[in-house]
């Protein structure tokens, strides 16, 4: 029997009937038994998030009607007597019951209800995919991801329990090895108590990678709206070119520093399990894509450039730092208590500069810098906050061993002020922070030089 593959399709690949049918054709061309993992149809999750924060019933109803319309349009190419129309109507009825409920005042209850609400995007799209697939293949099943992917109860950004998930996937592994055709949902799972959870925005890639690991899959195929990973964002630089192969380490850096084609968490299960990852275009699979491997054929000093917008620079300054011990521990203890994730850190004798991802926090509906946390910091230090910044990352191999790279970066950035520069912690990146509005021109200059 051929090894199992996992195929993941994103929201743009699930946008309408034509797109879904193209995805089915991609799956049908695969020789290996495949589990299909789908995101919600394009635009649905954003509307569900908006519903969860809306306090007016009129607005909530309008957004709900738009979601129903998206699903009905996606199902329009199917016969009216097909059972999927009844299944979608049932799911929409359950969703409408949640939409009509007033928002809960308790934050913990809000997050739990929000995860239940957000799950309907994938629960509907998986039904749609399975139905279109069943038009060309027999015995297509829909597996509820909540019966497969076990997580903790951190609603909104749950962490998987890999061991329990592997146990729950044992029957599915056997089904797939016998040739079963199965579709499941990305993004969602279930706590041990049986409550619906989500893995955070962009978590469908992560779900697919977790399930690939639990199924001992040979390869994870991520089908999206671009033909692989490029040397930089082609929307910024027309000279960007696709990469045939990159290493796990390079891909992880690109995902972390802004390459939208990959979810930052999605590579961890693949790396740990040695699963190859392929990224390709769902509408144009003949264009090829990028294969992510433990050891690619080539390891150039510079592989690609990445950009992450909407970064915040937090600078903490105190003369108490001078030749003192425990200052960093105190600072990071406060950040940890408020669940603040820090990206880059630079220090001097009396100050520490930290970068924080404002875009990621906004996506989860969280306050970027809680005022209570800032008040704690101000008890022993002066705090400065700068926003509207972009983080540019030069990704490659053994970057610190090439003396000409740093001058090229400084030359490309000049005369724009660099607010922070960080290199040395990783052999695979050199990062610097500039104003958002200056970043694109710097990337173009750097791409031409590198």
């Amino acid at each position: 029997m051929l090894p199992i593959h996992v195929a993941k399709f994103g929201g743009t690949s699930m946008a309408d009937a034509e797109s879904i049918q193209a995805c089915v054709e991609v799956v049908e061309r695969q020789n290996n038994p495949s589990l299909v993992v789908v995101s919600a149809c394009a635009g649905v999750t954003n509307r569900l998030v908006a519903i969860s924060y809306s306090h007016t019933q009129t607005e909530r109803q309008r957004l709900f009607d738009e979601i129903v319309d998206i699903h009905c349009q996606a199902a329009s190419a199917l016969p009216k007597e097909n059972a999927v129309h009844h299944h979608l109507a049932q799911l929409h009825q359950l969703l409408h019951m949640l939409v009509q409920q007033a928002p809960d005042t308790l934050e913990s209850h809000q997050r739990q209800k929000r995860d239940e609400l957000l799950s309907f995007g994938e629960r509907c799209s998986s039904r749609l995919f399975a139905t279109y697939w069943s038009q060309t293949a027999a015995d297509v099943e829909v597996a509820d991801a909540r019966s497969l992917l076990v997580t903790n109860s951190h609603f909104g950004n749950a962490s998987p329990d890999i061991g329990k998930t592997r146990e729950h996937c044992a029957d599915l592994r056997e089904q797939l090895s016998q040739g079963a055709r199965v579709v499941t949902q990305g993004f969602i799972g279930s706590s041990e108590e049986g409550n619906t959870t989500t893995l955070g925005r962009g978590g469908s890639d992560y779900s697919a990678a977790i399930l690939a690991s639990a199924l001992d899959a040979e390869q994870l195929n991520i089908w999206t709206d671009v033909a692989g990973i490029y040397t930089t964002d082609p929307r910024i630089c027309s000279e960007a070119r696709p990469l045939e192969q990159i290493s796990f380490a390079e891909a992880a850096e690109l995902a972390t520093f802004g390459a939208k084609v990959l979810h930052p968490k999605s590579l961890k299960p693949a790396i740990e399990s040695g699963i190859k990852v392929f990224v390709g275009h769902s509408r144009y699979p003949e264009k090829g894509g990028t294969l992510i491997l433990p050891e690619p054929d080539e390891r150039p000093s510079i592989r690609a450039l990445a950009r992450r917008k909407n970064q915040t620079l937090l600078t903490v300054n105190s003369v108490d730092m001078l030749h003192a011990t425990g200052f960093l521990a105190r600072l990071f203890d406060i950040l940890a208590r408020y669940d603040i994730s820090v990206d880059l850190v630079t220090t001097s004798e009396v100050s520490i500069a930290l970068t924080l991802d404002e875009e990621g926090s906004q996506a989860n509906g969280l306050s970027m810098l809680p005022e209570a946390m800032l008040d704690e910091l101000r008890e022993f230090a002066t705090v400065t906050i700068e926003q509207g910044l972009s983080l540019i990352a030069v990704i490659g191999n053994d970057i610190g061993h090439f003396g000409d790279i740093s001058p090229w970066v400084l030359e490309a950035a000049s005369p724009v002020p660099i607010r922070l520069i960080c290199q040395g912690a990783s052999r695979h990146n050199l990062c610097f922070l500039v104003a958002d509005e200056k970043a694109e021109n710097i990337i173009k200059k750097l791409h031409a030089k590198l």
Side-chain angles (χ1 to χ4, degrees), residues 70-363:
I70 289 171
H71 290 149
C72 289
Q73 288 294 324
S76 61
L78 295 164
K80 290 185 178 180
E81 64 273 13
N82 193 291
V84 72
H85 300 290
H86 175 66
H87 290 146
L88 287 175
Q90 286 183 316
L91 288 167
H92 290 152
Q93 186 176 8
L94 292 171
L95 173 59
H96 195 244
M97 290 170 62
L98 289 176
V99 170
Q100 289 182 310
Q101 293 178 11
D104 205 299
T105 55
L106 287 175
E107 176 63 21
S108 59
H109 291 174
Q110 280 182 359
R111 293 197 182 195
Q112 183 174 339
K113 281 186 178 179
R114 188 175 300 135
D115 277 5
E116 179 69 26
L117 185 78
L118 297 186
S119 73
F120 280 89
E122 280 73 13
R123 288 160 67 183
C124 290
S125 64
S126 57
R127 281 285 173 189
L128 284 163
F129 192 102
T131 305
Y132 277 106
W133 196 3
S134 67
Q135 303 299 294
T136 59
D139 302 323
V140 179
E141 302 175 35
V142 176
D144 193 330
R146 295 171 297 177
S147 68
L148 301 172
L149 207 160
V150 184
T151 74
N152 62 10
S153 294
H154 190 170
F155 299 105
N157 193 26
S159 296
D161 185 320
I162 301 297
K164 287 189 170 65
T165 299
R166 173 175 283 275
E167 292 174 12
H168 284 226
C169 286
D171 290 342
L172 176 60
R173 192 185 307 116
E174 183 62 27
Q175 284 179 270
L176 291 168
S177 66
Q178 293 177 6
R181 296 176 175 88
V182 184
V183 183
T184 192
Q185 306 84 28
F187 181 55
I188 67 174
S190 178
S191 68
E192 290 192 67
E193 294 76 24
N195 296 313
T196 300
T197 57
T198 65
L199 302 183
R201 294 300 296 269
S204 288
D205 285 1
Y206 192 25
S207 294
I210 294 163
L211 293 171
S213 175
L215 293 167
D216 297 321
E218 178 190 56
Q219 185 164 310
L220 167 62
N221 299 312
I222 297 176
W223 297 101
T224 180
D225 57 356
V226 292
I229 300 170
Y230 282 67
T231 49
T232 195
D233 189 337
R235 293 169 298 181
I236 295 175
C237 181
S238 59
E239 284 75 33
R241 55 184 177 80
L243 299 164
E244 288 188 13
Q245 293 184 355
I246 59 173
S247 69
F248 280 148
E250 292 166 332
E253 297 280 358
L254 280 167
T256 299
F257 291 112
K260 298 294 186 184
V261 71
L262 289 172
H263 187 274
K265 292 179 181 177
S266 65
L267 289 169
K268 186 173 182 288
I271 292 170
E272 291 175 344
S273 302
I275 298 168
K276 293 181 290 185
V277 180
F278 175 80
V279 180
H281 200 308
S282 60
R283 296 298 293 269
Y284 308 104
E286 67 278 1
K287 289 186 176 181
T290 303
L291 189 61
I292 305 170
L293 303 162
E295 293 294 333
D297 295 336
E298 297 178 354
R299 299 179 66 87
S301 58
I302 303 298
R303 181 74 83 175
L305 301 172
R307 175 200 183 186
R308 195 163 63 193
K309 298 187 290 184
N310 297 324
Q311 302 299 288
T312 294
L313 179 64
L314 177 70
T315 304
V316 180
N317 182 284
S318 174
V319 292
D320 292 341
M321 280 184 64
L322 196 61
H323 304 303
T325 60
F327 187 90
L328 283 174
R330 183 180 181 185
L331 169 63
F332 281 96
D333 175 66
I334 293 172
L335 294 173
R337 282 194 280 107
Y338 287 92
D339 202 25
I340 300 296
S341 177
V342 174
D343 287 328
L344 303 180
V345 181
T346 62
T347 67
S348 72
E349 281 295 322
V350 294
S351 65
I352 303 168
L354 315 165
T355 65
L356 311 168
D357 185 10
E358 185 177 344
E359 198 167 52
S361 296
Q362 288 174 341

Side-chain angles (χ1 to χ4, degrees), residues 384-396:
T384 305
I385 301 168
E386 298 176 56
Q387 294 176 305
L389 301 169
S390 275
L391 184 65
I392 298 175
V394 182
I395 309 296

